[in-house]
Amino acid sequence: MQPVASLPSPREVVAVAFRHRRWILLAALLPVLLGATLPFVLTPIYEARTRVLVRGGREFTPQVDAPGMLQSPQTTMREMVDTVIQILQSVDLFRDVVGDVSVQKLYPRLAEESSQGLTPENAAILALGRDISAAPVRLTNVIEISLRNPDAQVAVQGLETVLTRFQERYVRAFSQRRSALLETQIEENQRYLTEVQSERAAYMASHELYSLTDQRSLLVQRHGREREALRAVEMRKSLLEEQIRFLASELERQPPTITVQTTSQDSPLATDALRRLRELQEREREMLRTLGSEHPNVRGIRAAIQTTQQVIAQTNARTTAISLGINPLVTTLKTQLASAEAELAPLAGQVLAYGRSLATEEARLRQIGLDEIQLQTYDRSIAQVEGAIRELRQRQTDARFNEELDRAQVAGLSVIEQPQASDRPIAPKKMLFLAGGIVAGGIMSCFALLVAMTFGRRFLTTETAERMLGVPVLVTLPPMAGLAGRRQMLEASAEEVPPAGIEARA
């Protein structure tokens, strides 16, 4: 025995479909008819569109709130577009639009009946939030704004109101009333500048300052002159002290008295001895010429000469007479010493005076240096405050100019396409509904066929009988007309088909 298939064959499916063809056709055509007629029943929806160009205007320029503060980062174009879209989708903007156009005109049905406990105005705001849309155009700075409404003219009017209110809110969102605040800051800085200038003038008056450069130059010149004078006095003092020491030492070495006069005369004994010496020397020369040097007489004369010479040496040739008196050099040294001490006496006072004067001038120079630092501090403060005042005035001018632009409703937005609506509604879409009906009809017909095959109580083909009973069909009788024919067919089938559970023989 061959195995029985568990899935229906195409022949069975066709047989069931043909058997229930009316219901299957009804299930297929009913959604198609519904999709074809529904667009004509529903309320048509029109859409008004406009396009807005977002430019990098003054509202996106980074600004600082106080002098010296760091500037905020530059805003990108994507951030600018997203900011504009958020302002467009704000609830306050929808409330202004609903108030201007009126709920009765925008949504007449909501004006007549309340929805979920909401007031007509709140319901209209929610509906307007659903109906309006804003999206950036790809790779551009353009935003496309659309508004859907059953009335094309109302959609255009509502979109125009949206643009007007949006521009007002856009300008209000980026407007900064800063001119009054800047004026206050300028006045405060001006007062502070006056105080600093007064303090500087009082400081110069109290320290007797008129021109630091000239005063320092005069003090440096005077200091140089006094230093040279001090050096000269010290050198003179050193020379005088050395001179005094020298004179004192010389004075100590000099005797108080010296020989004033000395007289001398020749001695008679010495004169006679010299005469005899000359005679002996003359006789010696004569003997040498006649007798020779070895003669006894010559030696005797030589001995006499030596004796005479000794006598001469022992005898003073002259007699001297000496007169003593006061040493004049001592007097001169004492005079010079007294003069040097007299000249040295005032030099010590001059050295002290010059030293005190130099110390005073050096202290004055140091004070002038400190005064210069203090004045530089005042000057830096004055320069900073003046720079801040100039910057604040420039910012005040810019703020006043921006306020004028705000009052004139000038912003970085440009409507490049005025609001307009097409004559053809965007919803409902007939072809979309028809296609949906066709798809739904196909699904419904398949579902009806599946239900007929699943819950059907008749075997329309031998394959169905074999698949459902699990036994092969041996004999198939042709259909018989009338009730009698059906009864006979059933009786024949009861006799030929064995009961369930009994295996049939081939």
PDB file of all heavy atoms in Angstrom, residues 210-245:
ATOM      1  N   TYR A 210      56.171 114.965  38.912  1.00  0.00           N
ATOM      2  CA  TYR A 210      55.685 115.736  37.766  1.00  0.00           C
ATOM      3  C   TYR A 210      56.118 115.099  36.451  1.00  0.00           C
ATOM      4  O   TYR A 210      55.374 115.104  35.487  1.00  0.00           O
ATOM      5  CB  TYR A 210      56.195 117.193  37.839  1.00  0.00           C
ATOM      6  CG  TYR A 210      57.699 117.330  37.926  1.00  0.00           C
ATOM      7  CD1 TYR A 210      58.473 117.425  36.782  1.00  0.00           C
ATOM      8  CD2 TYR A 210      58.334 117.385  39.164  1.00  0.00           C
ATOM      9  CE1 TYR A 210      59.866 117.562  36.866  1.00  0.00           C
ATOM     10  CE2 TYR A 210      59.709 117.519  39.257  1.00  0.00           C
ATOM     11  CZ  TYR A 210      60.475 117.601  38.103  1.00  0.00           C
ATOM     12  OH  TYR A 210      61.831 117.729  38.172  1.00  0.00           O
ATOM     13  N   SER A 211      57.372 114.607  36.414  1.00  0.00           N
ATOM     14  CA  SER A 211      57.836 113.891  35.230  1.00  0.00           C
ATOM     15  C   SER A 211      58.890 112.896  35.691  1.00  0.00           C
ATOM     16  O   SER A 211      59.999 113.280  36.063  1.00  0.00           O
ATOM     17  CB  SER A 211      58.415 114.853  34.192  1.00  0.00           C
ATOM     18  OG  SER A 211      58.959 114.127  33.096  1.00  0.00           O
ATOM     19  N   LEU A 212      58.534 111.639  35.705  1.00  0.00           N
ATOM     20  CA  LEU A 212      59.459 110.639  36.228  1.00  0.00           C
ATOM     21  C   LEU A 212      60.751 110.583  35.430  1.00  0.00           C
ATOM     22  O   LEU A 212      61.845 110.416  35.987  1.00  0.00           O
ATOM     23  CB  LEU A 212      58.782 109.261  36.211  1.00  0.00           C
ATOM     24  CG  LEU A 212      57.640 109.061  37.210  1.00  0.00           C
ATOM     25  CD1 LEU A 212      57.029 107.690  37.035  1.00  0.00           C
ATOM     26  CD2 LEU A 212      58.151 109.240  38.622  1.00  0.00           C
ATOM     27  N   THR A 213      60.663 110.770  34.127  1.00  0.00           N
ATOM     28  CA  THR A 213      61.866 110.700  33.295  1.00  0.00           C
ATOM     29  C   THR A 213      62.814 111.842  33.626  1.00  0.00           C
ATOM     30  O   THR A 213      64.027 111.629  33.845  1.00  0.00           O
ATOM     31  CB  THR A 213      61.480 110.744  31.810  1.00  0.00           C
ATOM     32  OG1 THR A 213      60.556 109.686  31.531  1.00  0.00           O
ATOM     33  CG2 THR A 213      62.701 110.585  30.931  1.00  0.00           C
ATOM     34  N   ASP A 214      62.270 113.067  33.704  1.00  0.00           N
ATOM     35  CA  ASP A 214      63.125 114.215  34.021  1.00  0.00           C
ATOM     36  C   ASP A 214      63.658 114.130  35.449  1.00  0.00           C
ATOM     37  O   ASP A 214      64.844 114.408  35.706  1.00  0.00           O
ATOM     38  CB  ASP A 214      62.343 115.520  33.836  1.00  0.00           C
ATOM     39  CG  ASP A 214      61.939 115.716  32.384  1.00  0.00           C
ATOM     40  OD1 ASP A 214      62.571 115.080  31.509  1.00  0.00           O
ATOM     41  OD2 ASP A 214      60.993 116.482  32.126  1.00  0.00           O
ATOM     42  N   GLN A 215      62.782 113.743  36.388  1.00  0.00           N
ATOM     43  CA  GLN A 215      63.233 113.648  37.773  1.00  0.00           C
ATOM     44  C   GLN A 215      64.316 112.587  37.928  1.00  0.00           C
ATOM     45  O   GLN A 215      65.318 112.783  38.614  1.00  0.00           O
ATOM     46  CB  GLN A 215      62.048 113.332  38.684  1.00  0.00           C
ATOM     47  CG  GLN A 215      61.109 114.509  38.882  1.00  0.00           C
ATOM     48  CD  GLN A 215      59.937 114.143  39.759  1.00  0.00           C
ATOM     49  OE1 GLN A 215      59.052 113.410  39.344  1.00  0.00           O
ATOM     50  NE2 GLN A 215      59.952 114.668  40.969  1.00  0.00           N
ATOM     51  N   ARG A 216      64.124 111.457  37.291  1.00  0.00           N
ATOM     52  CA  ARG A 216      65.148 110.414  37.378  1.00  0.00           C
ATOM     53  C   ARG A 216      66.446 110.872  36.729  1.00  0.00           C
ATOM     54  O   ARG A 216      67.546 110.615  37.245  1.00  0.00           O
ATOM     55  CB  ARG A 216      64.647 109.131  36.702  1.00  0.00           C
ATOM     56  CG  ARG A 216      65.650 107.983  36.807  1.00  0.00           C
ATOM     57  CD  ARG A 216      65.222 106.751  36.056  1.00  0.00           C
ATOM     58  NE  ARG A 216      64.111 106.091  36.707  1.00  0.00           N
ATOM     59  CZ  ARG A 216      62.879 106.100  36.258  1.00  0.00           C
ATOM     60  NH1 ARG A 216      62.577 106.769  35.153  1.00  0.00           N
ATOM     61  NH2 ARG A 216      61.925 105.471  36.889  1.00  0.00           N
ATOM     62  N   SER A 217      66.351 111.576  35.599  1.00  0.00           N
ATOM     63  CA  SER A 217      67.559 112.065  34.927  1.00  0.00           C
ATOM     64  C   SER A 217      68.313 113.063  35.813  1.00  0.00           C
ATOM     65  O   SER A 217      69.547 112.980  35.952  1.00  0.00           O
ATOM     66  CB  SER A 217      67.176 112.715  33.597  1.00  0.00           C
ATOM     67  OG  SER A 217      68.319 113.239  32.960  1.00  0.00           O
ATOM     68  N   LEU A 218      67.580 114.006  36.423  1.00  0.00           N
ATOM     69  CA  LEU A 218      68.241 114.973  37.312  1.00  0.00           C
ATOM     70  C   LEU A 218      68.875 114.294  38.519  1.00  0.00           C
ATOM     71  O   LEU A 218      70.005 114.618  38.910  1.00  0.00           O
ATOM     72  CB  LEU A 218      67.225 116.016  37.780  1.00  0.00           C
ATOM     73  CG  LEU A 218      66.703 116.977  36.693  1.00  0.00           C
ATOM     74  CD1 LEU A 218      65.613 117.871  37.254  1.00  0.00           C
ATOM     75  CD2 LEU A 218      67.839 117.818  36.118  1.00  0.00           C
ATOM     76  N   LEU A 219      68.153 113.345  39.105  1.00  0.00           N
ATOM     77  CA  LEU A 219      68.710 112.640  40.259  1.00  0.00           C
ATOM     78  C   LEU A 219      69.932 111.822  39.880  1.00  0.00           C
ATOM     79  O   LEU A 219      70.913 111.771  40.639  1.00  0.00           O
ATOM     80  CB  LEU A 219      67.638 111.732  40.870  1.00  0.00           C
ATOM     81  CG  LEU A 219      66.573 112.417  41.723  1.00  0.00           C
ATOM     82  CD1 LEU A 219      65.511 111.423  42.138  1.00  0.00           C
ATOM     83  CD2 LEU A 219      67.199 113.069  42.942  1.00  0.00           C
ATOM     84  N   VAL A 220      69.893 111.211  38.719  1.00  0.00           N
ATOM     85  CA  VAL A 220      71.054 110.420  38.276  1.00  0.00           C
ATOM     86  C   VAL A 220      72.250 111.331  38.042  1.00  0.00           C
ATOM     87  O   VAL A 220      73.391 111.006  38.431  1.00  0.00           O
ATOM     88  CB  VAL A 220      70.689 109.610  37.017  1.00  0.00           C
ATOM     89  CG1 VAL A 220      71.945 109.007  36.380  1.00  0.00           C
ATOM     90  CG2 VAL A 220      69.710 108.506  37.366  1.00  0.00           C
ATOM     91  N   GLN A 221      72.017 112.494  37.397  1.00  0.00           N
ATOM     92  CA  GLN A 221      73.116 113.423  37.173  1.00  0.00           C
ATOM     93  C   GLN A 221      73.674 113.954  38.498  1.00  0.00           C
ATOM     94  O   GLN A 221      74.892 113.996  38.714  1.00  0.00           O
ATOM     95  CB  GLN A 221      72.635 114.577  36.302  1.00  0.00           C
ATOM     96  CG  GLN A 221      72.290 114.173  34.871  1.00  0.00           C
ATOM     97  CD  GLN A 221      71.732 115.317  34.077  1.00  0.00           C
ATOM     98  OE1 GLN A 221      71.682 116.463  34.562  1.00  0.00           O
ATOM     99  NE2 GLN A 221      71.317 115.043  32.836  1.00  0.00           N
ATOM    100  N   ARG A 222      72.780 114.355  39.409  1.00  0.00           N
ATOM    101  CA  ARG A 222      73.245 114.843  40.700  1.00  0.00           C
ATOM    102  C   ARG A 222      73.965 113.743  41.476  1.00  0.00           C
ATOM    103  O   ARG A 222      74.992 113.979  42.121  1.00  0.00           O
ATOM    104  CB  ARG A 222      72.053 115.355  41.506  1.00  0.00           C
ATOM    105  CG  ARG A 222      72.445 116.048  42.812  1.00  0.00           C
ATOM    106  CD  ARG A 222      71.207 116.388  43.609  1.00  0.00           C
ATOM    107  NE  ARG A 222      70.276 117.199  42.809  1.00  0.00           N
ATOM    108  CZ  ARG A 222      69.023 117.453  43.180  1.00  0.00           C
ATOM    109  NH1 ARG A 222      68.561 116.930  44.311  1.00  0.00           N
ATOM    110  NH2 ARG A 222      68.251 118.204  42.427  1.00  0.00           N
ATOM    111  N   HIS A 223      73.441 112.559  41.412  1.00  0.00           N
ATOM    112  CA  HIS A 223      74.085 111.440  42.095  1.00  0.00           C
ATOM    113  C   HIS A 223      75.475 111.188  41.533  1.00  0.00           C
ATOM    114  O   HIS A 223      76.432 110.919  42.283  1.00  0.00           O
ATOM    115  CB  HIS A 223      73.202 110.189  41.955  1.00  0.00           C
ATOM    116  CG  HIS A 223      73.702 109.007  42.722  1.00  0.00           C
ATOM    117  ND1 HIS A 223      74.594 108.113  42.208  1.00  0.00           N
ATOM    118  CD2 HIS A 223      73.420 108.587  43.989  1.00  0.00           C
ATOM    119  CE1 HIS A 223      74.853 107.176  43.093  1.00  0.00           C
ATOM    120  NE2 HIS A 223      74.158 107.438  44.195  1.00  0.00           N
ATOM    121  N   GLY A 224      75.593 111.277  40.214  1.00  0.00           N
ATOM    122  CA  GLY A 224      76.914 111.099  39.600  1.00  0.00           C
ATOM    123  C   GLY A 224      77.896 112.172  40.030  1.00  0.00           C
ATOM    124  O   GLY A 224      79.062 111.885  40.338  1.00  0.00           O
ATOM    125  N   ARG A 225      77.415 113.431  40.035  1.00  0.00           N
ATOM    126  CA  ARG A 225      78.309 114.519  40.450  1.00  0.00           C
ATOM    127  C   ARG A 225      78.727 114.367  41.908  1.00  0.00           C
ATOM    128  O   ARG A 225      79.916 114.525  42.257  1.00  0.00           O
ATOM    129  CB  ARG A 225      77.611 115.861  40.241  1.00  0.00           C
ATOM    130  CG  ARG A 225      77.445 116.250  38.776  1.00  0.00           C
ATOM    131  CD  ARG A 225      77.084 117.712  38.641  1.00  0.00           C
ATOM    132  NE  ARG A 225      75.835 118.016  39.325  1.00  0.00           N
ATOM    133  CZ  ARG A 225      74.641 117.993  38.733  1.00  0.00           C
ATOM    134  NH1 ARG A 225      74.547 117.658  37.455  1.00  0.00           N
ATOM    135  NH2 ARG A 225      73.550 118.293  39.408  1.00  0.00           N
ATOM    136  N   GLU A 226      77.772 114.041  42.766  1.00  0.00           N
ATOM    137  CA  GLU A 226      78.125 113.910  44.180  1.00  0.00           C
ATOM    138  C   GLU A 226      79.013 112.690  44.419  1.00  0.00           C
ATOM    139  O   GLU A 226      79.882 112.721  45.301  1.00  0.00           O
ATOM    140  CB  GLU A 226      76.853 113.816  45.012  1.00  0.00           C
ATOM    141  CG  GLU A 226      76.070 115.132  45.027  1.00  0.00           C
ATOM    142  CD  GLU A 226      74.867 115.064  45.952  1.00  0.00           C
ATOM    143  OE1 GLU A 226      74.614 113.946  46.477  1.00  0.00           O
ATOM    144  OE2 GLU A 226      74.192 116.092  46.121  1.00  0.00           O
ATOM    145  N   ARG A 227      78.793 111.631  43.651  1.00  0.00           N
ATOM    146  CA  ARG A 227      79.670 110.478  43.795  1.00  0.00           C
ATOM    147  C   ARG A 227      81.094 110.832  43.375  1.00  0.00           C
ATOM    148  O   ARG A 227      82.078 110.426  44.016  1.00  0.00           O
ATOM    149  CB  ARG A 227      79.125 109.298  42.991  1.00  0.00           C
ATOM    150  CG  ARG A 227      79.929 108.024  43.148  1.00  0.00           C
ATOM    151  CD  ARG A 227      79.213 106.867  42.510  1.00  0.00           C
ATOM    152  NE  ARG A 227      78.026 106.506  43.260  1.00  0.00           N
ATOM    153  CZ  ARG A 227      78.041 105.735  44.349  1.00  0.00           C
ATOM    154  NH1 ARG A 227      79.197 105.282  44.821  1.00  0.00           N
ATOM    155  NH2 ARG A 227      76.940 105.448  44.968  1.00  0.00           N
ATOM    156  N   GLU A 228      81.240 111.607  42.288  1.00  0.00           N
ATOM    157  CA  GLU A 228      82.574 112.046  41.864  1.00  0.00           C
ATOM    158  C   GLU A 228      83.193 112.954  42.923  1.00  0.00           C
ATOM    159  O   GLU A 228      84.390 112.837  43.241  1.00  0.00           O
ATOM    160  CB  GLU A 228      82.475 112.777  40.522  1.00  0.00           C
ATOM    161  CG  GLU A 228      82.119 111.882  39.346  1.00  0.00           C
ATOM    162  CD  GLU A 228      83.200 110.861  39.066  1.00  0.00           C
ATOM    163  OE1 GLU A 228      84.391 111.161  39.354  1.00  0.00           O
ATOM    164  OE2 GLU A 228      82.861 109.771  38.573  1.00  0.00           O
ATOM    165  N   ALA A 229      82.379 113.852  43.474  1.00  0.00           N
ATOM    166  CA  ALA A 229      82.903 114.733  44.513  1.00  0.00           C
ATOM    167  C   ALA A 229      83.313 113.932  45.754  1.00  0.00           C
ATOM    168  O   ALA A 229      84.357 114.190  46.363  1.00  0.00           O
ATOM    169  CB  ALA A 229      81.853 115.780  44.885  1.00  0.00           C
ATOM    170  N   LEU A 230      82.485 112.932  46.117  1.00  0.00           N
ATOM    171  CA  LEU A 230      82.835 112.090  47.255  1.00  0.00           C
ATOM    172  C   LEU A 230      84.112 111.318  46.989  1.00  0.00           C
ATOM    173  O   LEU A 230      84.978 111.188  47.881  1.00  0.00           O
ATOM    174  CB  LEU A 230      81.683 111.131  47.549  1.00  0.00           C
ATOM    175  CG  LEU A 230      81.923 110.112  48.668  1.00  0.00           C
ATOM    176  CD1 LEU A 230      82.186 110.826  49.983  1.00  0.00           C
ATOM    177  CD2 LEU A 230      80.739 109.150  48.792  1.00  0.00           C
ATOM    178  N   ARG A 231      84.238 110.819  45.768  1.00  0.00           N
ATOM    179  CA  ARG A 231      85.468 110.097  45.436  1.00  0.00           C
ATOM    180  C   ARG A 231      86.681 111.018  45.536  1.00  0.00           C
ATOM    181  O   ARG A 231      87.754 110.629  46.047  1.00  0.00           O
ATOM    182  CB  ARG A 231      85.344 109.490  44.039  1.00  0.00           C
ATOM    183  CG  ARG A 231      86.497 108.554  43.689  1.00  0.00           C
ATOM    184  CD  ARG A 231      86.324 107.951  42.309  1.00  0.00           C
ATOM    185  NE  ARG A 231      85.148 107.094  42.260  1.00  0.00           N
ATOM    186  CZ  ARG A 231      84.038 107.379  41.602  1.00  0.00           C
ATOM    187  NH1 ARG A 231      83.960 108.526  40.942  1.00  0.00           N
ATOM    188  NH2 ARG A 231      83.033 106.548  41.602  1.00  0.00           N
ATOM    189  N   ALA A 232      86.532 112.267  45.040  1.00  0.00           N
ATOM    190  CA  ALA A 232      87.647 113.226  45.113  1.00  0.00           C
ATOM    191  C   ALA A 232      87.983 113.569  46.569  1.00  0.00           C
ATOM    192  O   ALA A 232      89.165 113.640  46.951  1.00  0.00           O
ATOM    193  CB  ALA A 232      87.295 114.488  44.332  1.00  0.00           C
ATOM    194  N   VAL A 233      86.955 113.784  47.398  1.00  0.00           N
ATOM    195  CA  VAL A 233      87.195 114.099  48.809  1.00  0.00           C
ATOM    196  C   VAL A 233      87.865 112.915  49.504  1.00  0.00           C
ATOM    197  O   VAL A 233      88.797 113.090  50.312  1.00  0.00           O
ATOM    198  CB  VAL A 233      85.871 114.477  49.494  1.00  0.00           C
ATOM    199  CG1 VAL A 233      86.058 114.580  51.003  1.00  0.00           C
ATOM    200  CG2 VAL A 233      85.356 115.796  48.946  1.00  0.00           C
ATOM    201  N   GLU A 234      87.386 111.708  49.215  1.00  0.00           N
ATOM    202  CA  GLU A 234      88.002 110.540  49.834  1.00  0.00           C
ATOM    203  C   GLU A 234      89.452 110.381  49.400  1.00  0.00           C
ATOM    204  O   GLU A 234      90.326 110.020  50.206  1.00  0.00           O
ATOM    205  CB  GLU A 234      87.189 109.283  49.487  1.00  0.00           C
ATOM    206  CG  GLU A 234      85.840 109.221  50.184  1.00  0.00           C
ATOM    207  CD  GLU A 234      85.048 108.001  49.766  1.00  0.00           C
ATOM    208  OE1 GLU A 234      85.432 107.373  48.749  1.00  0.00           O
ATOM    209  OE2 GLU A 234      84.053 107.670  50.442  1.00  0.00           O
ATOM    210  N   MET A 235      89.689 110.630  48.095  1.00  0.00           N
ATOM    211  CA  MET A 235      91.083 110.559  47.632  1.00  0.00           C
ATOM    212  C   MET A 235      91.942 111.628  48.318  1.00  0.00           C
ATOM    213  O   MET A 235      93.084 111.354  48.745  1.00  0.00           O
ATOM    214  CB  MET A 235      91.138 110.721  46.109  1.00  0.00           C
ATOM    215  CG  MET A 235      90.557 109.548  45.334  1.00  0.00           C
ATOM    216  SD  MET A 235      90.568 109.819  43.565  1.00  0.00           S
ATOM    217  CE  MET A 235      92.340 109.970  43.265  1.00  0.00           C
ATOM    218  N   ARG A 236      91.407 112.849  48.406  1.00  0.00           N
ATOM    219  CA  ARG A 236      92.145 113.914  49.078  1.00  0.00           C
ATOM    220  C   ARG A 236      92.378 113.586  50.539  1.00  0.00           C
ATOM    221  O   ARG A 236      93.463 113.802  51.092  1.00  0.00           O
ATOM    222  CB  ARG A 236      91.365 115.232  48.955  1.00  0.00           C
ATOM    223  CG  ARG A 236      92.071 116.446  49.586  1.00  0.00           C
ATOM    224  CD  ARG A 236      93.420 116.683  48.954  1.00  0.00           C
ATOM    225  NE  ARG A 236      94.108 117.812  49.559  1.00  0.00           N
ATOM    226  CZ  ARG A 236      95.390 118.115  49.354  1.00  0.00           C
ATOM    227  NH1 ARG A 236      96.141 117.328  48.556  1.00  0.00           N
ATOM    228  NH2 ARG A 236      95.940 119.168  49.908  1.00  0.00           N
ATOM    229  N   LYS A 237      91.378 113.019  51.203  1.00  0.00           N
ATOM    230  CA  LYS A 237      91.514 112.633  52.597  1.00  0.00           C
ATOM    231  C   LYS A 237      92.572 111.556  52.758  1.00  0.00           C
ATOM    232  O   LYS A 237      93.394 111.586  53.683  1.00  0.00           O
ATOM    233  CB  LYS A 237      90.166 112.146  53.114  1.00  0.00           C
ATOM    234  CG  LYS A 237      90.196 111.706  54.572  1.00  0.00           C
ATOM    235  CD  LYS A 237      88.833 111.170  54.990  1.00  0.00           C
ATOM    236  CE  LYS A 237      88.903 110.638  56.421  1.00  0.00           C
ATOM    237  NZ  LYS A 237      87.629 110.021  56.821  1.00  0.00           N
ATOM    238  N   SER A 238      92.541 110.570  51.841  1.00  0.00           N
ATOM    239  CA  SER A 238      93.543 109.506  51.909  1.00  0.00           C
ATOM    240  C   SER A 238      94.948 110.051  51.710  1.00  0.00           C
ATOM    241  O   SER A 238      95.893 109.673  52.420  1.00  0.00           O
ATOM    242  CB  SER A 238      93.217 108.435  50.865  1.00  0.00           C
ATOM    243  OG  SER A 238      94.197 107.434  50.858  1.00  0.00           O
ATOM    244  N   LEU A 239      95.108 111.002  50.759  1.00  0.00           N
ATOM    245  CA  LEU A 239      96.437 111.598  50.523  1.00  0.00           C
ATOM    246  C   LEU A 239      96.887 112.390  51.743  1.00  0.00           C
ATOM    247  O   LEU A 239      98.071 112.326  52.137  1.00  0.00           O
ATOM    248  CB  LEU A 239      96.382 112.488  49.282  1.00  0.00           C
ATOM    249  CG  LEU A 239      96.213 111.766  47.933  1.00  0.00           C
ATOM    250  CD1 LEU A 239      96.035 112.771  46.811  1.00  0.00           C
ATOM    251  CD2 LEU A 239      97.410 110.872  47.653  1.00  0.00           C
ATOM    252  N   LEU A 240      95.974 113.148  52.332  1.00  0.00           N
ATOM    253  CA  LEU A 240      96.346 113.945  53.498  1.00  0.00           C
ATOM    254  C   LEU A 240      96.711 113.048  54.678  1.00  0.00           C
ATOM    255  O   LEU A 240      97.661 113.333  55.426  1.00  0.00           O
ATOM    256  CB  LEU A 240      95.206 114.887  53.883  1.00  0.00           C
ATOM    257  CG  LEU A 240      94.968 116.064  52.914  1.00  0.00           C
ATOM    258  CD1 LEU A 240      93.728 116.843  53.317  1.00  0.00           C
ATOM    259  CD2 LEU A 240      96.191 116.981  52.870  1.00  0.00           C
ATOM    260  N   GLU A 241      95.952 111.983  54.865  1.00  0.00           N
ATOM    261  CA  GLU A 241      96.299 111.068  55.959  1.00  0.00           C
ATOM    262  C   GLU A 241      97.659 110.430  55.729  1.00  0.00           C
ATOM    263  O   GLU A 241      98.460 110.295  56.666  1.00  0.00           O
ATOM    264  CB  GLU A 241      95.204 109.988  56.071  1.00  0.00           C
ATOM    265  CG  GLU A 241      93.883 110.517  56.605  1.00  0.00           C
ATOM    266  CD  GLU A 241      92.818 109.446  56.596  1.00  0.00           C
ATOM    267  OE1 GLU A 241      93.058 108.381  55.981  1.00  0.00           O
ATOM    268  OE2 GLU A 241      91.729 109.671  57.182  1.00  0.00           O
ATOM    269  N   GLU A 242      97.918 110.052  54.462  1.00  0.00           N
ATOM    270  CA  GLU A 242      99.248 109.501  54.157  1.00  0.00           C
ATOM    271  C   GLU A 242     100.331 110.555  54.375  1.00  0.00           C
ATOM    272  O   GLU A 242     101.426 110.255  54.905  1.00  0.00           O
ATOM    273  CB  GLU A 242      99.245 108.982  52.706  1.00  0.00           C
ATOM    274  CG  GLU A 242     100.523 108.289  52.285  1.00  0.00           C
ATOM    275  CD  GLU A 242     100.732 106.986  53.045  1.00  0.00           C
ATOM    276  OE1 GLU A 242      99.725 106.393  53.489  1.00  0.00           O
ATOM    277  OE2 GLU A 242     101.900 106.568  53.187  1.00  0.00           O
ATOM    278  N   GLN A 243     100.055 111.785  53.962  1.00  0.00           N
ATOM    279  CA  GLN A 243     101.026 112.868  54.150  1.00  0.00           C
ATOM    280  C   GLN A 243     101.272 113.126  55.633  1.00  0.00           C
ATOM    281  O   GLN A 243     102.424 113.332  56.057  1.00  0.00           O
ATOM    282  CB  GLN A 243     100.526 114.142  53.466  1.00  0.00           C
ATOM    283  CG  GLN A 243     101.504 115.311  53.544  1.00  0.00           C
ATOM    284  CD  GLN A 243     100.956 116.547  52.851  1.00  0.00           C
ATOM    285  OE1 GLN A 243      99.865 116.522  52.288  1.00  0.00           O
ATOM    286  NE2 GLN A 243     101.721 117.627  52.888  1.00  0.00           N
ATOM    287  N   ILE A 244     100.197 113.088  56.439  1.00  0.00           N
ATOM    288  CA  ILE A 244     100.357 113.308  57.886  1.00  0.00           C
ATOM    289  C   ILE A 244     101.194 112.204  58.512  1.00  0.00           C
ATOM    290  O   ILE A 244     102.066 112.455  59.357  1.00  0.00           O
ATOM    291  CB  ILE A 244      98.978 113.418  58.541  1.00  0.00           C
ATOM    292  CG1 ILE A 244      98.296 114.732  58.128  1.00  0.00           C
ATOM    293  CG2 ILE A 244      99.077 113.335  60.056  1.00  0.00           C
ATOM    294  CD1 ILE A 244      96.866 114.842  58.561  1.00  0.00           C
ATOM    295  N   ARG A 245     100.887 110.955  58.084  1.00  0.00           N
ATOM    296  CA  ARG A 245     101.696 109.868  58.627  1.00  0.00           C
ATOM    297  C   ARG A 245     103.177 110.037  58.240  1.00  0.00           C
ATOM    298  O   ARG A 245     104.094 109.815  59.048  1.00  0.00           O
ATOM    299  CB  ARG A 245     101.145 108.526  58.122  1.00  0.00           C
ATOM    300  CG  ARG A 245      99.859 108.085  58.813  1.00  0.00           C
ATOM    301  CD  ARG A 245      99.556 106.649  58.505  1.00  0.00           C
ATOM    302  NE  ARG A 245      99.329 106.431  57.069  1.00  0.00           N
ATOM    303  CZ  ARG A 245      98.159 106.526  56.470  1.00  0.00           C
ATOM    304  NH1 ARG A 245      97.096 106.864  57.193  1.00  0.00           N
ATOM    305  NH2 ARG A 245      98.051 106.333  55.182  1.00  0.00           N
TER     306      ARG A 245
END
